[in-house]
Amino acid sequence: MIRYTLKRLLSLLLSLAVASLVIFAVIEVAPGDPASFMLGMNAQPETLAALRTELGLDQSKVQRYLSWVGGMLTGDFGTSYTYRTPVIGMVADRLWVSLPLALYALLLSTAVAFPAGLFAASRRGQAGDIGVMGATQLGVAVPNFWFAMMLVLVFAINLRWFAAGGFVGWDSGFWAGIHALTLPAVALALPQAAILARVMRSSLLDVLGEDFMRTARAKGLSERQALWRHGLRNALIPVLTIIGLQFSFLLAGSIIIEQVFYLPGLGRLVFQSISARDLIVVESVVMLLVFSVILVNFLVDLAYAAVDPRLRSRT
């Protein structure tokens, strides 16, 4: 297990190194100069040069990359070009919105997907199975931003049960914050629940065909009893893997939903920073999100190897 962990850790470090190069290169080749954007079209060359020096934009790209990476390794994500405040503070403030939103959406998707997958698997080929699979297909096909706008139209504008957007802050109380995040969490959870339900059903059906399940039924258990007592636990390994990957997606992929609901999260911060050509914020936030995705995948690999020793023997 130690050897496997070290190999996965090396893979994690290499992935982060490659990701940092790709992120920096892609953002740096984007058109537009941050200093020119901040000062406007009529800025004097001397003023423009002074601002570029102040922001460190007069350095070579190699120097800027090494300075950026070195700063992140020491916990210094740099200073925002636009707001002139440390990037780490801006990220921390918005993480308290994006992280609870991702966890809330993951909880909702799991709460819906598990019983749906179990129901479909226990009624394989019947009307209930066909209905659940049809609903999950619709859930995968519907864009979450369109579903988010429908939620706003029904529950915010017509019924007035929720606010159409914004976040009251955790200072207003835990339940007030949860109430504000409910509609965006539901919008994020729908496609993830559909995917997870399909994986749950497929995993359960694979387990139902195993020898130990046939033995359990031969001993007098009904198919549903065998499913609950023996099948569910063995079917959870691939499902838990998908859950880990979904958390990474929910944390990093909520930009559009945060825009729809006007939430001050990491996704909205990235969108605003791209609009303002605040490159250091974009690079740092995207790198942080990539790190979270790679880290979750690393932890999922370790958990999977701990449960299934065959993975360790293959490496």
Side-chain angles (χ1 to χ4, degrees):
M1 187 64 184
I2 295 177
R3 182 181 178 185
Y4 178 83
T5 303
L6 291 176
K7 286 186 176 181
R8 299 306 302 165
L9 183 60
L10 178 60
S11 175
L12 180 148
L13 295 175
L14 289 176
S15 298
L16 287 176
V18 173
S20 67
L21 282 169
V22 172
I23 290 170
F24 185 84
V26 169
I27 294 178
E28 287 296 323
V29 300
D33 177 47
S36 299
F37 185 89
M38 294 171 65
L39 294 177
M41 298 290 294
N42 299 322
Q44 297 296 321
E46 298 81 4
T47 307
L48 186 61
L51 181 59
R52 288 182 57 83
T53 301
E54 179 184 352
L55 299 178
L57 297 174
D58 59 335
Q59 300 177 353
S60 67
K61 286 182 170 54
V62 174
Q63 289 176 314
R64 289 166 59 188
Y65 171 76
L66 294 176
S67 176
W68 173 58
V69 172
M72 285 194 298
L73 292 176
T74 60
D76 180 12
F77 284 68
T79 302
S80 168
Y81 298 160
T82 304
Y83 300 102
R84 312 304 295 156
T85 58
V87 175
I88 188 65
M90 299 172 64
V91 170
D93 290 341
R94 286 155 177 80
L95 191 61
W96 282 106
V97 177
S98 294
L99 183 58
L101 175 61
L103 291 172
Y104 192 7
L106 185 65
L107 179 62
L108 291 176
S109 67
T110 304
V112 172
F114 267 54
L118 281 167
F119 180 82
S122 64
R123 290 162 175 79
R124 176 175 47 182
Q126 300 178 16
D129 181 25
I130 296 173
V132 170
M133 288 301 96
T136 58
Q137 186 65 43
L138 182 62
V140 173
V142 173
N144 58 6
F145 68 88
W146 180 87
F147 185 58
M149 291 187 288
M150 293 301 101
L151 290 175
V152 171
L153 179 63
V154 174
F155 294 102
I157 297 177
N158 292 337
L159 298 178
R160 299 185 182 274
W161 290 355
F162 298 90
F167 184 66
V168 296
W170 297 110
D171 294 338
S172 300
F174 175 78
W175 292 113
I178 291 296
H179 186 267
L181 293 178
T182 296
L183 289 186
V186 171
L188 283 172
L190 174 67
Q192 304 308 315
I195 294 171
L196 189 58
R198 297 179 73 89
V199 172
M200 184 74 178
R201 174 187 179 274
S202 177
S203 181
L204 283 169
L205 291 180
D206 289 341
V207 169
L208 286 173
E210 297 289 340
D211 291 338
F212 69 90
M213 292 296 293
R214 285 193 288 268
T215 302
R217 290 194 294 270
K219 289 181 177 181
L221 293 180
S222 67
E223 184 167 335
R224 292 182 185 178
Q225 288 175 328
L227 177 66
W228 279 98
R229 296 184 186 181
H230 304 286
L232 181 59
R233 180 174 56 186
N234 291 278
L236 283 180
I237 293 178
V239 175
L240 293 177
T241 303
I242 296 298
I243 289 176
L245 298 177
Q246 284 188 343
F247 174 74
S248 302
F249 172 81
L250 290 170
L251 183 61
S254 59
I255 295 178
I256 297 178
I257 295 300
E258 289 184 2
Q259 283 294 114
V260 172
F261 289 97
Y262 206 74
L263 294 176
L266 291 176
R268 184 168 175 79
L269 176 62
V270 170
F271 182 84
Q272 292 174 332
S273 299
I274 292 174
S275 301
R277 293 291 299 159
D278 203 340
L279 300 184
I280 188 66
V281 175
V282 178
E283 291 168 351
S284 298
V285 174
V286 173
M287 189 64 205
L288 179 65
L289 294 175
V290 169
F291 171 74
S292 69
V293 172
I294 295 176
L295 178 62
V296 169
N297 290 343
F298 171 73
L299 296 176
V300 168
D301 286 342
L302 294 186
Y304 203 102
V307 175
D308 190 350
R310 292 174 298 178
L311 286 178
R312 302 196 295 268
S313 62
R314 295 174 187 168
T315 58

